[in-house]
Amino acid sequence: MSLRQPVPSRSEWRNGWPIVLGAVVGSGAGPALFQNLSSMFVPGMTGEFGWSRGAVAAASGLGFAGSLAVPLLGRAVDRLGVRPMIVGCMVALAAAYLGMATMRGQLWHYHLLVLALAMTVPGTSALAYGKLIAARFVTHRGLALGIATSGLPLTTLLLPIVLAEVIEDFGWRGGFVALAVYSALVALPIALVAIRAAGRVSHATAGDPAEVSGVIAAEARRDPRFWRLGLTGFFVNLGTIGFVTQLVPFGIDRGLTPTGAALLLTAFGASQVAARVTFGALIDRFAPQRIAATVAGLSALGFAALQWPGLALPGLAMGVFCAGLMNGAENDLFPFFAARLFGLRAYGEIYGTLIVVALVGSGAGIIGFGALHDATGGDAAGLAVASVALAIAGLLFAGLRDRPAMG
């Protein structure tokens, strides 16, 4: 039994646009925002506490151990509904930021708080918002997911300059307070009002699995395509996340001012917006595996281009833009394929498990990029690893069979 019959795209957008808007704002404030902006806090923390860049990267990477709980929290989304998870995770996110603002130099304190951030992924990502959108959109699901997941890159695009001014005026602690205020007092109310405006979507989003097609999580895990899809996320995050968490120091090492280096984060955010909206529309019309493989290849070339000596700000920004394309498209492709291949019956748990696999790649990338920098005194080795990882992700996407799961 299918979740719902396809409806005209005009009707989908007329009824579903508030959900997309809520997802843009809510997911844009999630812990992945700190992941993208964390390099802005590295100079202040290392200067005050004497931590090395490798030590900071290791603490951030180890914090992704919290992702092990994501499948259980995804199951809670399936059973309880998305709204309670969104509220709880956003409040916990703000509390973690306030905790970071009070740190006194213990590295384990930072580690524990990053762990807490990772635990908020279910209510601040496509795990919750993607289920709402997949239940509402059929004909234009790819485009809807692309727009909805563009909240993070839009925030990454707009916030660095503002946050840089806050940090300059109030220090890195003030930057963490600003993130807490934005999460709890700005993003959460807007997201809840927008979702409420759309009304009840389906039994699936309210925690009732009745009348929802698809397989249970155990059946999905026995499908080789599940693990192939998970590995694509592992390799994409291995290559991109470690790089973006070191992006500001990367730019400073190449002669940019701190403000100029922050513009590299803006370039990364721009690539996320372009990838999610553009490729989200394309996968509604063409084979999504081919689109995904092509984007991964472009990102691999972007990482390779960043090793070119003597690049100035425009060249570095273009390289960062290309390198970030797959990271942007992945956040649209993952929920798209999870719903397309396995249905919505256990979407939260299935997608949550895929997030775990992907976040293992994030942790490995964060630790590895920082460790390689400390060991080699530069970023060439890390960029080479990233380029190879994106090429592997492209091959995995190219071989992903597109047979819907039965249920």
Side-chain angles (χ1 to χ4, degrees):
M1 178 187 307
S2 62
L3 178 65
R4 59 172 63 238
Q5 295 299 316
V7 295
S9 60
R10 187 176 304 172
S11 177
E12 286 185 345
W13 284 106
R14 182 172 62 248
N15 298 323
W17 72 264
I19 292 177
V20 176
L21 174 62
V24 169
V25 177
S27 64
L33 177 63
F34 174 67
Q35 173 182 279
N36 289 352
L37 303 181
S38 61
S39 62
M40 300 184 70
F41 296 88
V42 171
M45 291 190 296
T46 56
E48 181 171 338
F49 299 141
W51 298 342
S52 70
R53 281 171 56 179
V56 173
S60 299
L62 292 172
F64 282 102
S67 68
L68 296 176
V70 171
L72 296 177
L73 296 173
R75 186 181 299 175
V77 172
D78 293 327
R79 296 183 177 182
L80 302 177
V82 299
R83 289 174 180 82
M85 188 61 65
I86 289 172
V87 173
C89 287
M90 291 293 280
V91 171
L93 181 70
Y97 282 138
L98 292 177
M100 288 179 172
T102 66
M103 291 188 299
R104 291 295 180 265
Q106 294 86 1
L107 192 59
W108 67 268
H109 189 185
Y110 180 61
H111 173 202
L112 183 63
L113 289 167
V114 174
L115 179 66
L117 286 178
M119 295 285 286
T120 68
V121 165
T124 57
S125 69
L127 193 151
Y129 294 107
K131 187 165 188 173
L132 287 170
I133 289 167
R136 175 71 76 183
F137 290 86
V138 178
T139 306
H140 281 195
R141 181 179 290 172
L143 178 59
L145 283 169
I147 296 173
T149 58
S150 67
L152 174 62
L154 281 171
T155 311
T156 302
L157 180 66
L158 300 174
L159 199 58
I161 303 301
V162 175
L163 192 59
E165 293 294 331
V166 172
I167 292 174
E168 183 177 348
D169 292 340
F170 301 101
W172 60 270
R173 298 181 190 277
F176 281 125
V177 172
L179 289 177
V181 170
Y182 177 71
S183 300
L185 301 182
V186 179
L188 176 58
I190 292 175
L192 290 179
V193 169
I195 291 172
R196 185 175 182 179
R200 186 179 178 87
V201 179
S202 73
H203 296 293
T205 61
D208 181 1
E211 301 184 11
V212 181
S213 68
V215 300
I216 63 174
E219 292 174 311
R221 289 192 293 267
R222 290 194 293 268
D223 190 325
R225 297 174 304 164
F226 174 88
W227 297 106
R228 177 181 284 268
L229 186 58
L231 283 174
T232 61
F234 173 88
F235 283 109
V236 169
N237 285 6
L238 175 68
T240 57
I241 301 305
F243 175 65
V244 74
T245 57
Q246 299 289 323
L247 194 49
V248 169
F250 169 84
I252 292 173
D253 287 346
R254 279 153 182 76
L256 300 182
T257 65
T259 301
L263 290 175
L264 296 182
L265 287 171
T266 301
F268 184 83
S271 74
Q272 308 289 283
V273 176
R276 297 183 196 205
V277 176
T278 301
F279 299 119
L282 289 175
I283 61 178
D284 286 328
R285 294 169 172 79
F286 306 103
Q289 295 89 338
R290 294 180 182 177
I291 299 298
T294 300
V295 182
L298 289 173
S299 289
L301 291 175
F303 278 110
L306 285 171
Q307 300 196 55
W308 193 268
L311 288 177
L313 178 58
L316 290 171
M318 181 59 66
V320 168
F321 179 90
C322 292
L325 286 173
M326 188 64 236
N327 183 265
E330 176 205 27
N331 289 276
D332 182 12
L333 291 165
F334 249 49
F336 178 88
F337 278 119
R340 181 185 181 96
L341 300 181
F342 306 113
L344 296 183
R345 181 179 178 185
Y347 174 89
E349 186 175 354
I350 291 170
Y351 185 45
T353 307
L354 290 171
I355 288 176
V356 170
V357 180
L359 288 180
V360 170
S362 297
I366 291 171
I367 295 172
F369 207 93
L372 285 172
H373 178 275
D374 289 351
T376 64
D379 298 312
L383 292 172
V385 170
S387 186
V388 172
L390 269 296
I392 293 173
L395 293 174
L396 289 169
F397 268 125
L400 183 64
R401 291 180 293 112
D402 195 17
R403 173 178 52 81
M406 302 301 293

